[in-house]
Amino acid sequence: MTSLISIAQETLLTPEPSPAEPVVKAALFDALEAAGIDHVEIPFSGSGDEGFVEQGTAYVNTGTVEAPTYAPRDLPSVLIRWTSIDPSGAPITKEEPLAQKLEDLAWQCVWATSPGWENNEGAEGTVTFHCQDREIRVDMTQFYTESFSKDRTF
């Protein structure tokens, strides 16, 4: 269970803004861990002004801690619930399907990593939700076109 103190510390110690509110992140990882999931991978790709975040795949460790072996598994069909504070200071309880929240956060994390990643030649990669570390990692390859001009007189 995440305490309010650890949420406040995480918020204060994060060097750059995170797209994931600490309470949402905690609810998400709690649900994944309760289902026995080790990590979730969500691929994304885009170019020409269109970007797509695809459906995620969950993985469970079927080996040992020392020698992990990961097997794919369907995401559980559960709702995650968290409480946020609105601008007036009043608590608001929100609820959303786990799979949808994972895709939403993946999109937000990709955008926070490189706004406009889907434009021109675009980018592709994977957003991985690591349960043990409670981290969301973005692995992105961006594409671009180079041109060189040479002018010679003989």
Side-chain angles (χ1 to χ4, degrees):
M1 178 111 199
T2 303
S3 71
L4 290 176
I5 294 171
S6 65
I7 290 171
Q9 288 172 338
E10 180 180 345
T11 303
L12 292 173
L13 298 176
T14 303
E16 53 187 55
S18 171
E21 291 179 62
V23 291
V24 175
K25 193 174 166 183
L28 185 135
F29 282 116
D30 288 348
L32 291 173
E33 288 174 348
I37 293 171
D38 181 80
H39 66 280
V40 176
E41 294 179 357
I42 300 179
F44 64 91
S45 62
S47 64
D49 300 336
E50 291 187 19
F52 302 95
V53 173
E54 300 176 26
Q55 182 175 353
T57 302
Y59 292 90
V60 295
N61 183 2
T62 58
T64 64
V65 174
E66 297 80 20
T69 303
Y70 299 107
R73 179 174 167 188
D74 290 336
L75 283 170
S77 296
V78 297
L79 294 174
I80 62 167
R81 181 178 292 133
W82 68 95
T83 302
S84 295
I85 305 298
D86 74 7
S88 71
I92 300 174
T93 299
K94 299 180 182 179
E95 191 174 78
E96 195 169 335
L98 175 64
Q100 182 61 52
K101 194 61 183 174
L102 283 166
E103 287 181 31
D104 291 347
L105 282 177
W107 181 270
Q108 292 170 13
C109 290
V110 171
W111 186 261
T113 301
S114 181
W117 62 273
E118 75 286 3
N119 292 327
N120 301 320
E121 284 74 27
E124 67 181 16
T126 306
V127 178
T128 306
F129 293 78
H130 290 273
C131 293
Q132 183 177 1
D133 301 330
R134 291 188 163 239
E135 291 181 340
I136 305 168
R137 299 179 191 151
V138 177
D139 178 24
M140 176 187 289
T141 301
Q142 290 187 286
F143 305 110
Y144 62 94
T145 300
E146 285 189 20
S147 62
F148 296 95
S149 178
K150 293 184 180 185
D151 185 11
R152 289 182 67 182
T153 302
F154 293 96

